[in-house]
Amino acid sequence: KKKKPRTKPDTIRSAQSAANFTTFIETATNYEFDIKLPYTIPSDNVRHLVSVKNEEVQAGFTYYAVPKLDHDAFLVANVTGWEDLNLMPGKANVFFEGTFIGESYIDPANTSDTLNLTLGRDKSVVLSRIKLKDKTDSKIINVDRIQTVTYEITVRNTKSSAIILKVQDQIPVTTNKNINIDVISIDGGILDKETGLLEWKLSLNPKETKKIQVSYSVKYSKNKALSSGLN
């Protein structure tokens, strides 16, 4: 009779990493991970990674862009339900779609119910910000100079899926009573009058392009010069 091949115990066949045999222990001042599986780590002076625990979490994805400062959009994962993961503060290696894209920092002391993780730049979201010369001028009325500035922000989603994009810009602010700034148009954006911060939340379908126009005027004495340019 032929001998049947010996089968390995289920615990060995299903052991893919130490994460399958890890118990979490919370002490008064710290967290402990008790790994009940022998793990051989070679003493070869080479860095080795051990999977201690695996978890799946729900996340939403939002793109952020500030075209005045950078023409790239940044993808951010908004993780919910992270409070139950027993995370520890520190640097984290971020992988997206199987590719290492950089480091982030996890701060479990965050009081928000959403943990935001930056996933880096995404070149598939194209942005531009240009000043419209035909809608930008300077004129003198009596003793005042009035400068009008208009610029256009263009965003295009070249991806094959729809995205949510948050775009930020800014209107100049001043504490000088002799300078008056009037907002002419912000194209549906939300304006913080104290800081001048502008924000739009855009839904972009695949291959869709949207344009935003922002226009404002600055009135000041014609005998004075602004300390900085308008842009």
Side-chain angles (χ1 to χ4, degrees), residues 23-206:
T23 303
F24 170 75
I25 303 171
E26 183 175 1
T27 65
T29 58
N30 209 341
Y31 297 146
E32 293 181 3
F33 294 90
D34 183 15
I35 302 175
K36 298 184 180 300
L37 177 70
Y39 219 101
T40 301
I41 301 176
S43 56
D44 52 7
N45 201 31
V46 177
R47 185 178 180 181
H48 296 271
L49 297 178
V50 176
S51 177
V52 175
K53 190 178 182 182
N54 295 327
E55 294 283 357
E56 290 187 5
V57 295
Q58 295 294 323
F61 296 93
T62 305
Y63 289 85
Y64 289 83
V66 186
K68 182 177 180 178
L69 302 177
D70 198 308
H71 284 178
D72 284 340
F74 294 80
L75 179 60
V76 175
N78 310 302
V79 180
T80 57
W82 62 271
E83 302 94 333
D84 300 326
L85 300 180
N86 305 310
L87 299 176
M88 301 179 67
K91 291 182 179 180
N93 293 327
V94 179
F95 294 82
F96 184 62
E97 296 180 342
T99 302
F100 175 73
I101 59 176
E103 288 187 345
S104 185
Y105 186 85
I106 294 179
D107 181 14
N110 182 9
T111 58
S112 173
D113 59 357
T114 303
L115 182 66
N116 298 321
L117 297 175
T118 302
L119 302 181
R121 301 171 183 265
D122 193 328
K123 298 290 186 179
S124 60
V125 181
V126 182
L127 303 116
S128 68
R129 181 181 185 271
I130 60 172
K131 185 179 290 186
L132 300 180
K133 294 182 179 180
D134 59 332
K135 295 183 179 181
T136 299
D137 61 24
S138 177
K139 58 186 177 183
I140 295 176
I141 300 178
N142 298 325
V143 296
D144 295 320
R145 179 183 297 276
I146 300 177
Q147 285 186 259
T148 301
V149 178
T150 303
Y151 53 88
E152 184 176 76
I153 298 172
T154 302
V155 296
R156 176 169 172 77
N157 174 24
T158 66
K159 301 174 72 68
S160 59
S161 57
I163 65 169
I164 300 296
L165 173 65
K166 288 188 177 181
V167 180
Q168 290 186 343
D169 212 284
Q170 192 170 31
I171 297 288
V173 294
T174 180
T175 56
N176 190 329
K177 296 181 179 179
N178 297 318
I179 300 176
N180 186 46
I181 298 175
D182 288 324
V183 177
I184 300 172
S185 173
I186 55 175
D187 223 353
I190 298 175
L191 173 64
D192 184 328
K193 294 182 179 180
E194 292 187 2
T195 63
L197 181 66
L198 271 171
E199 184 172 280
W200 298 264
K201 186 176 180 180
L202 306 176
S203 297
L204 291 168
N205 293 321

Side-chain angles (χ1 to χ4, degrees), residues 1-6:
K1 294 183 179 180
K2 293 184 179 180
K3 293 183 179 181
K4 293 183 180 181
R6 296 178 61 185

